[in-house]
Amino acid sequence: MTRLENKVALVTGALGGIGTAVVREFLADGAKVILMDLDADAVQAAVEARRAEGHAVAGAAADLRDFDAAKAAVDRAAAELGPVDIVVANAFTGGPSTTLDKTTPGAFREELADNACVAFNAVAAVVDGMKARGGGAIVVVGSVNGLATFGQPGYSAAKAALISYTRTMATEYGPHNIRANIVCPGTVRTPAWDERIAKKPDVLDGLTKWYPLGRVARPEDIARPIAFLASDAAAFISGAVLPVDGGLMAGNHRMARELTVED
Ligand SMILES: NC(=O)c1ccc[n+]([C@@H]2O[C@H](COP(=O)([O-])OP(=O)(O)OC[C@H]3O[C@@H](n4cnc5c(N)ncnc54)[C@H](O)[C@@H]3O)[C@@H](O)[C@H]2O)c1
């Protein structure tokens, strides 16, 4: 039996870089997957492609900022595939690569609210069903930006908020046998970087030197720990904040070298 056999998983942002890898990992592990993303035609095309490979999938196209629309779309997909056991709150609405000085009050509020609420709304759409059936697993996709400063102030504040939110879920939903954990990826080459790469083609090359492992992540580097946390192999892990960052948050070796004075 594979790790996620007979489980139904809702994956948000399912058509993005990390979302696509999560869907592939979950399907390989035997799960049935609800692909949730913004564009209805693109969701339908992805659903047909996965079905042509023999997988059990359904689509849920909606803007997660609109809870009622998101819940209706998830309910329709769950009627097709079965009630949701796992949710991967992976979608995000982003935020400009800028400084605090250039962040307006309106932009800060929007980035903070939208990036946090798309995760909240995904979980809120399915958590009552998990409670009623006696359990579930929630994996939130945060960021190292929620742990330390790497630019994008509003987005980062939202990712920090999601750490608190995940811990609250772990404590409040734990008695319902629902686990909640958050992964905090470092840099991953995905379409989220396209705009910045268009402006500065070598932006990711310059980042590799900050990573102790000497490279940025591949989407599957993030998808595998998510699948582990969603599975029964992680049955006693809840409330964990897991950096998946090639050692980035372990410390600063460049600084350590600079302050080391050897004889
Ligand atoms: N790429 C990185 O370097 C990186 C680093 C740390 C954390 N992350 C996190 O990983 C997650 C996935 O990022 P990615 O790099 O795969 O991005 P991506 O842009 O490739 O994918 C994001 C997906 O979310 C969808 N989406 C956006 N707004 C939505 C909404 N309102 N409702 C429904 N769907 C919506 C998009 O259509 C897209 O398919 C995000 O939570 C992001 O914060 C990414």
Side-chain angles (χ1 to χ4, degrees):
M1 186 163 133
T2 54
R3 306 194 288 194
L4 300 175
E5 204 154 17
N6 300 322
K7 304 280 189 195
V8 175
L10 167 66
V11 178
T12 73
L15 304 193
I18 293 171
T20 298
V22 170
V23 171
R24 287 201 178 282
E25 192 69 27
F26 274 45
L27 291 173
D29 278 352
K32 300 176 194 174
V33 180
I34 298 172
L35 279 59
M36 182 157 208
D37 213 300
L38 278 172
D39 185 292
D41 291 341
V43 167
Q44 187 54 31
V47 164
E48 280 164 21
R50 300 290 83 80
R51 282 187 182 151
E53 295 165 356
H55 294 299
V57 295
D63 186 332
L64 273 158
R65 289 171 295 187
D66 177 347
F67 174 72
D68 292 336
K71 169 114 177 85
V74 172
D75 285 350
R76 277 193 299 274
E80 215 178 308
L81 221 53
V84 173
D85 305 295
I86 295 165
V87 55
V88 180
N90 165 70
F92 77 127
T93 58
S97 175
T98 190
T99 58
L100 270 183
D101 281 352
K102 293 187 180 143
T103 303
T104 64
F108 187 80
R109 187 178 58 186
E110 187 178 305
E111 280 169 60
L112 180 54
D114 286 353
N115 282 294
C117 285
V118 292
F120 180 92
N121 287 346
V123 175
V126 298
V127 75
D128 286 346
M130 288 179 174
K131 285 181 191 168
R133 289 192 324 288
I138 298 162
V139 184
V140 176
V141 180
S143 170
V144 290
N145 285 51
L147 299 168
T149 303
F150 297 106
Q152 294 183 278
Y155 163 83
S156 302
K159 291 299 189 183
L162 289 179
I163 292 173
S164 167
Y165 168 57
T166 302
R167 288 177 167 145
T168 304
M169 288 196 288
T171 56
E172 191 169 324
Y173 298 157
H176 296 280
N177 192 32
I178 297 171
R179 299 180 298 103
N181 294 290
I182 182 165
V183 295
C184 298
T187 309
V188 195
R189 175 65 182 97
T190 68
W193 281 89
D194 288 352
E195 212 174 297
R196 274 178 281 183
I197 289 171
K199 287 186 196 151
K200 192 178 174 202
D202 62 350
V203 61
L204 289 182
D205 302 331
L207 294 184
T208 59
K209 65 175 174 295
W210 297 103
Y211 284 86
L213 289 180
R215 65 173 177 87
V216 299
R218 304 176 189 106
E220 56 270 28
D221 292 322
I222 315 303
R224 288 181 189 136
I226 291 173
F228 163 70
L229 287 171
S231 77
D232 290 343
F236 207 56
I237 302 179
S238 195
V241 181
L242 180 66
V244 186
D245 66 351
L248 179 70
M249 296 305 303
N252 189 326
H253 188 56
R254 286 159 71 90
M255 182 179 172
R257 267 208 316 257
E258 197 168 314
L259 56 78
T260 301
V261 182
E262 291 177 279
D263 290 332

